[in-house]
Amino acid sequence: MSWSATARYGLDPAPGGLGLVQDLLNTVGAGAPRIPDLLAEVAEAQAWVDEATAQWAAVTGQRVPRVALDDDGLTELRAFRNDLQEATAKAQDAGSGPGALALVLHSATAALQLGDSGLVRLEPRGSGWRRLTSLALAAAFEGQQADTRRRLKTCRNLRCRVAFYDRSRNNSGVWHDVKSCGNAANLRAYRARRRAQNG
């Protein structure tokens, strides 16, 4: 089993539960030729949600009750995905310092649980799309605590915006794929500089 939305772009997933955040971002339609949006219709979205929550449970070792979507829930989930994508892009452009994302876009319910091993974990709550939002926000929060969240980025190519996990040593990646997105942008920039020089 894998994070299916991320796998269709040929990318390696972010570690742990952060893979859910990346996979949710990658449900968007992108690429050339265009890969379809997995949240366009309820049936396709439900199939993705079932796969993603099963993968999240496998990665985190936590049980997830079935998340059922309806038309209204799908609309809310798409709005959450869009805001998450925008916030991710802003965070990578502004850095991850305090106050970089001051406006609260979404909130979700979660509980802190003490296990018999002495470990405290964050337990997402809610039902339907709210449960999925809670899972994603909990994973993003845990990624912040582990300092891995800042490595989850969206491709700087505005036609693409695929989410990738930056594994570069200095966290300087800006393209999900240098060959398909980076080379084209660099070539356009080079040609623009040449035109400017030649007057």
Side-chain angles (χ1 to χ4, degrees):
M1 183 173 292
S2 67
W3 297 108
S4 61
T6 297
R8 67 193 185 139
Y9 292 109
L11 298 171
D12 292 329
L18 195 56
L20 175 65
V21 179
Q22 180 185 15
D23 212 53
L24 174 59
L25 290 170
N26 285 334
T27 58
V28 71
R34 199 95 171 138
I35 293 177
D37 187 331
L38 296 178
L39 301 185
E41 301 292 334
V42 173
E44 290 85 4
Q46 186 65 61
W48 173 78
V49 167
D50 292 343
E51 288 178 12
T53 53
Q55 180 65 13
W56 187 87
V59 166
T60 64
Q62 297 181 37
R63 191 181 73 75
V64 182
R66 185 165 191 274
V67 174
L69 285 181
D70 57 16
D71 287 326
D72 292 337
L74 182 55
T75 299
E76 295 290 343
L77 186 58
R78 276 194 301 259
F80 173 68
R81 178 190 63 187
N82 295 342
D83 288 343
L84 182 61
Q85 186 176 44
E86 186 176 324
T88 300
K90 282 182 182 176
Q92 79 191 51
D93 291 341
S96 56
L101 299 174
L103 177 66
V104 174
L105 299 174
H106 293 272
S107 59
T109 305
L112 294 173
Q113 294 184 335
L114 175 63
D116 60 1
S117 65
L119 293 176
V120 176
R121 72 175 190 196
L122 190 61
E123 174 66 29
R125 297 286 169 96
S127 61
W129 70 274
R130 288 178 181 87
R131 168 68 75 152
L132 195 61
T133 300
S134 182
L135 290 171
L137 289 177
F141 176 74
E142 289 171 349
Q144 285 173 196
Q145 300 303 104
D147 198 30
T148 56
R149 171 72 175 95
R150 66 188 175 89
R151 290 186 172 274
L152 184 61
K153 300 177 177 182
T154 54
C155 185
R156 190 158 287 171
N157 180 349
L158 297 177
R159 295 180 187 149
C160 176
R161 304 307 284 177
V162 168
F164 67 100
Y165 188 76
D166 185 359
R167 287 181 167 78
S168 66
R169 183 178 298 212
N170 61 355
N171 193 30
S172 62
V174 294
W175 316 108
H176 92 279
D177 180 41
V178 174
K179 289 179 184 174
S180 63
C181 289
N183 286 348
N186 291 334
L187 183 59
R188 281 192 300 274
Y190 170 76
R191 287 178 178 162
R193 285 192 305 274
R194 294 282 296 202
R195 279 192 301 272
Q197 288 174 349
N198 294 334

